[in-house]
Amino acid sequence: MTDFRGDTAAPTASPTQQSSRLSFTKGHGTGNDFVLTLDPEGEAPTDAAFVAALCDRHRGIGADGYIRAVRSSALPEGRALLQTDPGAEWFMDYRNGDGSVSEMCGNGVRVFAHFLLTRSAAELPEGGELAIGTRAGVKRVTRSGDGYAVDMGPWEFIVPEAAIARGTDSLVAIGGLDVDRPALSISMGNPHTVVALAEQTELDRTELHSAPAVRPLPPEGTNVELVVPADPLVGEDGVGRLTMRVHERGVGETQSCGTGACAAAAATRFWAGEGAPAQWLVTVPGGIVGVTFFDGPEGREHVQLSGPAVLVAEGILLPGA
């Protein structure tokens, strides 16, 4: 176990936050990485300065986001979910790397589930499911091969009138590309704006360290996915394929984004038209995730995200000297 000194990692954290040790685990899903802590009563720090310092890759532990495992009964958002889904014992309290609150994270849900299981805080028998509370509702996790699959719930257009009429709803200015590109905005419980590029060379030369400029910008900001559909789009196995890079709001470019992969597949499937497949493989810099569309219990189309979850280290964040 590694001791990590808070005085170098979190110089902006408040004295109250520096007064106690914080046990943490580092994990990732296809390179999308997180600092996780088991915090049943919701007592661990969450203010933006602390989270940003914790996730700093030079002075902190380094991560795309911070996840607290809190009992749903300990948070107002969790108690609200328990009213309709009492099985959601645990709530994934997620912050972006800059400390801002996010609705949820698709890769993070898989890593969160794996974290709970390894800590014996929850069980997931073969053929069973684990209900997890998030700010985007309850997500249900099952086992899938060597990883996990998550019912991400329904997807929807952010601007349905424009999407249906034109296939796009916005323009995006992207570093490395001379011309603004049309895009389609999709909600997976959090906002995404998907841009289709013609070829891999375009994707390779884009600059995503700074946020692409989206016009008009969705009210809560947006993640931006750049996708290159495979050629042919659908393989002999009937599975659609695409390659993606992503700029996450509050983080920057990341190795992977689970909800972004779902949004990218949804947009590409919509653009492909009738006969487009229900199953997709999305290649991201950190690996490959699976996306499957299916009819949900309430009559709306749901999206399932599948992929690996890996825990790589444990440690203790020490109070400042």
Side-chain angles (χ1 to χ4, degrees):
M1 179 176 292
T2 301
D3 283 348
F4 176 85
R5 293 197 172 274
D7 54 340
T8 58
T12 57
S14 71
T16 299
Q17 292 158 2
Q18 292 181 354
S19 65
S20 62
R21 296 155 64 99
L22 180 70
S23 297
F24 69 87
T25 297
K26 181 72 181 289
H28 76 90
T30 53
N32 198 185
D33 61 337
F34 314 97
V35 175
L36 304 100
T37 186
L38 187 62
D39 183 29
E41 304 308 316
E43 298 171 337
T46 58
D47 74 90
F50 172 82
V51 174
L54 187 72
C55 294
D56 188 287
R57 296 194 181 277
H58 300 286
R59 297 179 179 273
I61 297 167
D64 293 328
Y66 172 52
I67 301 176
R68 292 193 309 160
V70 184
R71 292 195 189 279
S72 294
S73 58
L75 292 175
E77 305 98 312
R79 289 193 291 272
L81 292 176
L82 289 173
Q83 297 299 312
T84 56
D85 200 327
E89 178 185 2
W90 290 97
F91 190 93
M92 189 182 86
D93 184 19
Y94 181 67
R95 263 68 176 179
N96 293 315
D98 68 351
S100 58
V101 176
S102 182
E103 296 87 350
M104 62 95 58
C105 172
N107 290 320
V109 173
R110 298 196 314 277
V111 177
F112 182 81
H114 191 48
F115 174 68
L116 290 178
L117 298 181
T118 59
R119 295 298 175 272
S120 298
E123 296 181 352
L124 181 54
E126 249 355 281
E129 65 177 25
L130 177 63
I132 292 174
T134 77
R135 291 185 176 85
V138 175
K139 306 303 175 187
R140 302 187 183 281
V141 182
T142 57
R143 294 189 183 274
S144 175
D146 294 332
Y148 300 89
V150 185
D151 180 354
M152 304 294 290
W155 68 274
E156 60 186 2
F157 296 120
I158 292 178
V159 190
E161 299 84 0
I164 294 170
R166 304 194 304 268
T168 66
D169 55 37
S170 54
L171 287 174
V172 181
I174 306 160
L177 300 181
D178 295 334
V179 180
D180 294 357
R181 303 303 173 95
L184 185 60
S185 298
I186 286 176
S187 174
M188 287 297 314
N190 59 351
H192 297 269
T193 298
V194 183
V195 179
L197 301 179
E199 54 190 24
Q200 185 67 37
T201 55
E202 278 193 319
L203 185 65
D204 291 342
R205 73 170 183 263
T206 56
E207 192 282 306
L208 291 178
H209 294 296
S210 57
V214 180
R215 306 188 311 275
L217 184 67
E220 302 300 323
T222 191
N223 304 284
V224 177
E225 286 78 31
L226 309 181
V227 302
V228 177
D231 185 16
L233 180 63
V234 182
E236 293 182 359
D237 56 2
V239 177
R241 288 171 169 81
L242 58 90
T243 301
M244 180 187 94
R245 288 175 62 191
V246 58
H247 182 281
E248 287 197 55
R249 53 177 186 160
V251 184
E253 183 172 11
T254 58
Q255 290 288 296
S256 181
C257 176
T259 53
C262 294
T268 306
R269 184 167 176 255
F270 174 73
W271 288 325
E274 188 175 350
Q279 289 186 293
W280 295 78
L281 290 176
V282 180
T283 298
V284 294
I288 298 175
V289 295
V291 177
T292 303
F293 297 88
F294 65 98
D295 292 332
E298 76 282 15
R300 299 176 66 189
E301 187 171 73
H302 280 221
V303 189
Q304 182 190 73
L305 173 70
S306 60
V310 181
L311 302 180
V312 298
E314 295 180 345
I316 299 174
L317 181 67
L318 298 179

